[in-house]
Amino acid sequence: MKGIRIQNKCMSTKSYLKQEDKNYIQSAIEKRQEVVFSCNGLNHEEKEKFKEVLQVFLTECKRENMFAYLSYCLLELLDNANRANVKRIYFKKNNLDITNPSDYQKGMVGFKQAIINPENVLQNLKSNELTVKLLLSVNDDILLQVSNNTKITEVELNRINEKIEKTKNYTSLEDAVYDIDETEGCGLGLISIILMLKKISRNTKSLFFNLTENETVATIKIPTNNFTQLEEI
C-alpha cells in the first residue's frame, strides 16, 4: 500500500503464548466459539502477545495471508483503546469533565504529555481496573473486536464516524493529508486501517464502532466469501 510500510514478518521466534493458550484458541475455533484475551495495560510484551493470538487464530482459520494486514490494524486499534483509557485517567486526575466541551478542549491541550512515563501509565491503568480486550471469532465472517472499558463521548464518536465516511473515498494516504485530525494525537490511525482493509475485502463497511453500557467497541468484520486477492507487503 502506498504510504504505509509494513514488515512482512509473521512473528519473532520468541513465543508470548503458553501452550494452553494456543490449545484454547484451537479448541474455540473448532467449536465456533469466541477467542478472548485482555490486559490492564498495553506494553510491548502485551502487544506481541495479542499479535501472536491473531497469528494462531488466522493460521487455524487457514487465513495466514491476512496476518500482515490485520496485525497492522490490530495494533492501531489496541493503541487507540489504551489511549482512551489513559485519557480518562488524565481527565479524572485533573478534575475535568470529559463530556463538557470547555473541559474537553482544555484537557486535550495537556493530554499528550500524560503518556510520557509508560510505567506510571501502566500502574494507573491497573489501579483503575481499566482494560483492553481482544475478541476473535469466525463463522460466515471473520470478526476482530478491540474494546476498552471506558465509553467515548458523543463528540468523539461523531469524529470517528466522520473520519470513516471521508476515508471511504480515499485510495492512498496522500488523499487524506488535508483531512488529518491531530486532536487525539493519532490522526493517521483510522485512515490507515480503512485503507488497509480495502486491500482485504470489497466490503466498504469493514470497520465500525459502537458503545455498550460500559465499553467502546471497535469491530472489523470481513465476510469469508468476500476476500480480495492479497498483495505481498
Side-chain angles (χ1 to χ4, degrees), residues 36-50:
V36 180
F37 284 82
S38 63
C39 70
N40 285 110
L42 197 63
N43 54 23
H44 172 73
E45 184 172 335
E46 291 294 345
K47 287 183 179 181
E48 291 301 315
K49 180 177 180 179
F50 280 126

Side-chain angles (χ1 to χ4, degrees), residues 194-207:
I194 295 171
L195 291 175
M196 190 67 64
L197 291 175
K198 285 182 178 181
K199 295 288 186 177
I200 299 176
S201 174
R202 292 180 292 273
N203 182 8
T204 60
K205 297 182 179 180
S206 297
L207 173 68

Side-chain angles (χ1 to χ4, degrees), residues 9 14 30 32 71 88-89 98 103 119 121 132 142 154 199 218 232-233:
K9 297 179 180 179
K14 178 179 179 180
E30 289 174 1
R32 288 297 189 261
S71 62
R88 266 58 186 176
I89 294 174
I98 201 166
D103 278 2
E119 293 303 320
V121 168
V132 173
I142 285 183
E154 287 298 322
K199 295 288 186 177
E232 288 294 328
I233 57 176

Side-chain angles (χ1 to χ4, degrees), residues 66-172:
M66 296 175 61
F67 176 74
Y69 293 86
L70 286 183
S71 62
Y72 180 91
C73 298
L74 171 62
L75 291 180
E76 287 287 348
L77 292 177
L78 288 171
D79 281 335
N80 287 348
N82 193 62
R83 187 183 295 109
N85 283 346
V86 174
K87 182 161 64 176
R88 266 58 186 176
I89 294 174
Y90 176 82
F91 272 69
K92 182 179 179 180
K93 282 196 168 186
N94 288 276
N95 296 314
L96 296 170
D97 179 2
I98 201 166
T99 63
N100 180 288
S102 178
D103 278 2
Y104 186 85
Q105 185 175 12
K106 178 181 177 181
M108 289 309 299
V109 173
F111 166 64
K112 294 177 185 179
Q113 301 300 317
I115 56 176
I116 290 178
N117 187 336
E119 293 303 320
N120 186 47
V121 168
L122 184 61
Q123 184 57 44
N124 284 329
L125 289 169
K126 290 181 178 179
S127 62
N128 283 273
E129 298 183 342
L130 296 181
T131 62
V132 173
K133 181 173 68 177
L134 169 64
L135 182 152
L136 298 166
S137 68
V138 58
N139 285 292
D140 294 332
D141 308 295
I142 285 183
L143 194 74
L144 184 159
Q145 285 188 338
V146 173
S147 60
N148 56 287
N149 58 340
T150 56
K151 291 178 65 173
I152 59 176
T153 65
E154 287 298 322
V155 172
E156 291 171 312
L157 182 59
N158 289 338
R159 183 183 294 120
I160 288 171
N161 288 332
E162 287 174 4
K163 188 179 296 184
I164 290 175
E165 284 302 312
K166 283 184 177 181
T167 307
K168 288 178 181 179
N169 299 317
Y170 300 154
T171 58
S172 70

